[in-house]
Amino acid sequence: MAKKKPLTKKQKRILQRRRRRRILFGIEIFILLILIGGVFIYAKLGKMNFTDLDFSKIGVNTGVSDNNVMKGYTTIGLIGLDGRDGELKTGARSDTMIIASINNDTKKVKLVSVYRDTYLRIGEDSEGNGQYNKANAAYAKGGPEQFLSMLNTNLDLNVTDFVSVDFQAVAEAVELLGGIDVELKEEEVVHLNNFCVETSKVTGMDYTPLEEKAGVHHLNGVQTVSYARIRYTSGNDFRRAARQREVIYKIVEKAKNSDIATLSKILDKVFPKVYTSFTKAEILQMGMSMMSYDIEDQTGFPFDHLYGERVKDAMGGLDVVLPVTLESNVIKLHEFLYPEDSYTPSDEVKAYSQRIVDKSGFGDESRLDHSEDGSLAAYHASGTE
């Protein structure tokens, strides 16, 4: 085999220029693909429903906006609406309420479900004393502004953006992703099949009843939404909130591994059913960073709570979840979301907390028993059982 002649200096320079051109061409193609992707997503955003929030209607407690630790996070209110006629702006109760906190440096995401029946201060009353009710009533009464104000004032947060969807959007997204795999208990399968009847009717989408046995089941869109709506099992609404967070996690993970054609179809179907305060530019920026986001942890609020017949009797028949106490739960919430911050609740939260104690008669954490699911399931007053 003939030995190759060494390259001349001129030939080496030509080869080096060609290699540099190939590298530059590769970088240009990469940048072009990003730009095309950006234009592509931006065009799809025209289908979404946008709004400018009236911040004069959104309360923030004293000192919260100056908290430097919280400034290192992007915190968003995520709302799943229990609407039957496509209501997105107001009128529908928020069946799902999730606080999404994104660490701006690490891109780690934490999710906190606010249980929909949590007894909180949801707005003002005619006498200026505050209106207290189930947390999911805030969005129905005053739309996103009242919802964000409820989150901020009760939990010492400064949430300035929201995204709301109806449950048909979730069903269609899961359907286009090819479904998700979920491990179910037998009782969950029974309730899932029951919920599918209504979900299918509302969404106009089909399903096949699952075989009533425990194990991993592949769920389509209708079945996924029905799974997320189950509350008649051990854990009640607390377990349902965990199911909803599980569904979000599985959708995000599957979307991150989907091709452009699939994502395009999802955007076409889902975006018209989304209502948000984010601008197109902000959504585009977040979308470009999607692959770097990672759901780090998730939980429910309130951490320590009380519910059941005794609470219902004390609240005049209103079936609610009581934070016991709101003040101590807010401390635990901030420890979860912002572990680098040693938090002291605002005077407003302390006042709301005391109002809930006075109204319900429940407030001594030391006299509460924890049930198997971690909730405070029984209250032992002095001289009683």
Side-chain angles (χ1 to χ4, degrees):
M1 184 175 179
K3 189 176 181 179
K4 290 185 178 180
K5 293 182 179 180
L7 296 175
T8 64
K9 290 182 178 181
K10 182 178 180 180
Q11 289 172 324
K12 287 180 179 179
R13 285 196 297 270
I14 293 173
L15 184 58
Q16 287 172 346
R17 282 198 297 269
R18 287 176 179 173
R19 285 174 178 169
R20 282 197 296 269
R21 281 199 296 269
R22 282 199 295 269
I23 293 171
L24 287 172
F25 181 70
I27 293 173
E28 289 165 357
I29 290 294
F30 179 71
I31 294 173
L32 181 61
L33 286 173
I34 291 177
L35 291 174
I36 290 174
V39 172
F40 164 76
I41 296 173
Y42 196 85
K44 298 286 185 181
L45 288 175
K47 301 175 181 291
M48 196 177 287
N49 302 284
F50 295 93
T51 186
D52 293 323
L53 292 170
D54 182 353
F55 286 99
S56 68
K57 298 179 179 179
I58 301 174
V60 179
N61 291 341
T62 306
V64 171
S65 59
D66 297 324
N67 186 299
N68 289 325
V69 172
M70 291 172 61
K71 290 178 180 179
Y73 293 78
T74 299
T75 309
I76 308 165
L78 305 178
I79 310 149
L81 298 175
D82 186 19
R84 298 296 187 272
D85 301 310
E87 309 103 324
L88 288 174
K89 297 182 180 181
T90 188
R93 287 182 177 257
S94 44
D95 209 37
T96 303
M97 297 176 288
I98 294 178
I99 301 165
S101 178
I102 306 170
N103 187 308
N104 295 333
D105 293 328
T106 66
K107 304 302 180 185
K108 299 289 185 180
V109 182
K110 291 184 178 180
L111 303 177
V112 180
S113 297
V114 178
Y115 304 131
R116 69 175 197 167
D117 292 338
T118 306
Y119 189 71
L120 296 174
R121 186 181 189 277
I122 66 165
E124 299 291 345
D125 65 5
S126 57
E127 299 177 356
N129 296 321
Q131 182 181 5
Y132 289 75
N133 207 323
K134 295 181 179 182
N136 71 335
Y139 194 97
K141 289 180 175 294
E145 282 92 353
Q146 190 159 341
F147 167 78
L148 293 177
S149 189
M150 180 270 295
L151 286 185
N152 289 342
T153 56
N154 285 278
L155 308 181
D156 270 352
L157 298 175
N158 187 18
V159 187
T160 57
D161 284 295
F162 80 97
V163 179
S164 65
V165 298
D166 64 21
F167 61 67
Q168 182 159 359
V170 178
E172 290 179 342
V174 171
E175 196 75 23
L176 291 168
L177 287 169
I180 60 175
D181 293 327
V182 178
E183 186 167 358
L184 303 175
K185 298 177 181 178
E186 185 174 343
E187 63 173 346
E188 290 179 315
V189 176
V190 174
H191 289 297
L192 183 153
N193 285 335
N194 290 336
F195 271 115
C196 278
V197 177
E198 182 192 9
T199 306
S200 177
K201 183 179 180 180
V202 172
T203 61
M205 300 168 66
D206 296 327
Y207 75 99
T208 301
L210 297 176
E211 184 180 354
E212 293 184 2
K213 66 176 184 179
V216 176
H217 292 264
H218 187 72
L219 308 184
N220 71 358
V222 169
Q223 292 163 338
T224 298
V225 170
S226 299
Y227 169 70
R229 297 178 67 196
I230 297 172
R231 65 182 302 190
Y232 305 111
T233 62
S234 175
N236 300 305
D237 200 37
F238 319 115
R239 179 71 189 107
R240 178 172 72 165
R243 292 186 187 101
Q244 292 167 350
R245 295 193 303 271
E246 179 186 8
V247 165
I248 290 175
Y249 176 81
K250 289 182 178 292
I251 290 174
V252 169
E253 290 304 303
K254 198 149 190 183
K256 286 167 69 173
N257 293 296
S258 297
D259 56 38
I260 292 296
T262 298
L263 293 177
S264 175
K265 292 177 182 177
I266 291 174
L267 298 183
D268 285 333
K269 283 284 187 180
V270 172
F271 275 13
K273 299 176 178 65
V274 174
Y275 184 49
T276 184
S277 57
F278 283 113
T279 65
K280 289 183 180 181
E282 288 170 336
I283 293 176
L284 181 60
Q285 183 178 3
M286 293 179 69
M288 300 299 282
S289 302
M290 178 182 171
M291 296 302 291
S292 63
Y293 292 140
D294 180 39
I295 298 178
E296 178 184 26
D297 205 355
Q298 52 184 307
T299 190
F301 181 93
F303 301 86
D304 297 326
H305 50 261
L306 180 64
Y307 62 96
E309 287 304 317
R310 293 186 183 184
V311 172
K312 193 172 181 179
D313 291 342
M315 302 301 289
L318 188 62
D319 192 5
V320 299
V321 173
L322 282 177
V324 186
T325 60
L326 177 61
E327 181 179 349
S328 62
N329 273 289
V330 167
I331 292 173
K332 292 183 178 181
L333 175 67
H334 281 256
E335 288 175 348
F336 176 79
L337 292 177
Y338 318 112
E340 59 270 51
D341 189 18
S342 178
Y343 197 72
T344 300
S346 67
D347 290 340
E348 291 94 332
V349 164
K350 291 177 181 178
Y352 304 159
S353 182
Q354 188 59 49
R355 173 72 182 274
I356 293 172
V357 171
D358 293 341
K359 172 69 176 178
S360 66
F362 300 117
D364 187 350
E365 243 182 303
S366 65
R367 293 182 290 167
L368 294 165
D369 285 347
H370 290 259
S371 69
E372 291 181 359
D373 70 350
S375 63
L376 299 173
Y379 184 87
H380 295 284
S382 299
T384 63
E385 61 188 39

